[in-house]
């Protein structure tokens, strides 16, 4: 089990994320009765970096989150805002309780098992390994993976060599520390967030020369997350496999993808937690949930695929769903 009580952070705001936040909170309440920490929903506040007011103003959503035990915490966007909304997860860490262990989850996640049983070692932070080699994309004329990643570690005075997985071949993406930012955890959200923000701002505003030709959007959070984790003493092997992105959580990303590729258990859980009338009243306000879950369009998506023999690449799954007219986001 985890070595200390811990809190959970998700980001909620107007639009899609507020409904995902309700589902996340409902799944946490349903599947993890042993979780003794606090669920925080960090909400960005309007300001010069937002084109529209990002706050959750839907009274049904707010009431549902309160009933499910979530605590709303506002934060100001001082660096990212609407130009890079993935930066929310970076800036929101500063409003979490200092010195208390935390786990961040993207809202497009369901808790599917007892979180209190996950053997977190918060002194060794880590993040999701459910990741493809999405960044960088080395060009014909170089530099390669080694040169690009080395430049980032050098920028912040970090030891590059000790981050490598030497069981993987040189210039293969898995050799280099890389995570999906769908979940990550650590011992102190403010210490983690301070580094995360400093590194992200530095790379965004003044990328090393080796990054010329590499896209930073939307990858910036995933580019600097390994650096933060490595500096704080964590790594790819800090958490035993099979818990998060396994028995205890599911990062489904989009509802059509959930129905296409997740397990029967996850689909059944989604239907179970979305069934109570008090939540149905809230969730059906969001079109993809209304169509996929309540009007059973998701079952038609599921019938398009053999879940035991899925296409290897996600893009092929997306293309099939789109060709059948079932794509929603």
């Amino acid at each position: 089990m985890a070595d200390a009580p811990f809190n959970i952070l998700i980001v909620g705001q107007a639009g899609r994320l507020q409904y995902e936040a309700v589902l996340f909170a409902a799944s946490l309440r349903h599947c993890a009765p042993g979780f003794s920490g606090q669920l925080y929903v960090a909400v960005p506040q309007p300001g010069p970096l937002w084109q529209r007011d990002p706050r959750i103003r839907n009274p049904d959503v707010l009431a549902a989150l309160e009933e499910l035990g979530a605590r709303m915490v506002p934060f100001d966007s001082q660096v990212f805002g609407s130009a890079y909304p993935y930066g929310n997860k970076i800036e929101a860490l500063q409003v979490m309780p200092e010195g208390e262990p935390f786990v961040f989850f993207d809202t497009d996640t369901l808790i599917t098992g007892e979180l209190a049983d996950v053997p977190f070692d918060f002194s060794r932070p880590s993040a999701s390994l459910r990741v493809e080699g999405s960044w960088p994309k080395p060009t014909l004329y170089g530099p390669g993976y080694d040169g690009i990643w080395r430049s980032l570690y050098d920028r912040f005075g970090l030891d590059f060599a000790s981050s490598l997985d030497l069981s993987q071949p040189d210039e293969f993406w898995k050799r280099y520390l890389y995570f999906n930012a769908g979940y990550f955890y650590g011992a102190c959200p403010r210490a983690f967030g301070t580094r995360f923000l400093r590194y992200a701002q530095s790379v965004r505003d003044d990328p090393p020369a080796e990054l010329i030709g590499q896209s930073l959007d939307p990858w910036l959070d995933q580019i600097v997350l390994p650096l933060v984790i490595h500096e704080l003493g964590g790594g790819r092997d800090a958490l035993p496999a099979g818990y998060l992105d396994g028995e205890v959580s599911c990062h489904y990303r989009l509802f059509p993808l959930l129905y296409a590729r997740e397990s029967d258990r996850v689909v059944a859980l989604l239907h179970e937690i979305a069934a109570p009338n008090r939540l149905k009243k809230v969730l059906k306000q969001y079109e993809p949930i209304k169509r996929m879950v309540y009007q059973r369009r998701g079952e038609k998506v599921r019938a398009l695929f053999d879940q035991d023999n899925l296409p290897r690449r996600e893009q092929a799954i997306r293309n099939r769903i789109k060709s059948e007219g079932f794509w929603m986001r």
Side-chain angles (χ1 to χ4, degrees), residues 91-171:
E91 298 199 65
L93 289 162
Q94 292 303 327
V95 296
M96 292 286 283
E98 187 168 10
E100 295 184 15
F102 76 96
V103 185
F104 168 87
F105 288 101
D106 277 345
T107 47
D108 51 0
T109 300
L110 294 175
I111 300 303
T112 56
E114 182 52 82
L115 264 179
D117 291 341
V118 178
F120 292 111
D121 176 356
F122 289 104
S123 69
R124 297 191 64 218
S126 196
S128 172
L129 290 169
R130 190 177 179 181
V131 65
E132 297 179 347
S134 50
W135 192 94
K137 297 293 186 187
T139 60
L140 181 61
Y141 300 106
Y145 285 97
D146 192 280
I148 291 168
W149 280 116
R150 187 184 297 274
S151 73
L152 290 163
Y153 284 76
D154 288 349
R155 160 70 62 92
F156 302 109
L158 305 176
D159 179 39
F160 175 61
S162 62
S163 74
L164 300 175
D165 179 355
L166 299 179
S167 71
Q168 300 288 346
D170 195 28
E171 292 300 320

Side-chain angles (χ1 to χ4, degrees), residues 25-44:
S27 70
L28 175 66
R29 186 91 174 254
H30 182 85
C31 292
F35 170 67
S36 60
Q38 177 65 52
L39 169 61
Y40 290 91
V41 181
V43 182

Side-chain angles (χ1 to χ4, degrees), residues 82-97:
S82 59
Y84 186 68
Y86 296 96
N88 276 340
K89 66 182 69 173
I90 301 174
E91 298 199 65
L93 289 162
Q94 292 303 327
V95 296
M96 292 286 283

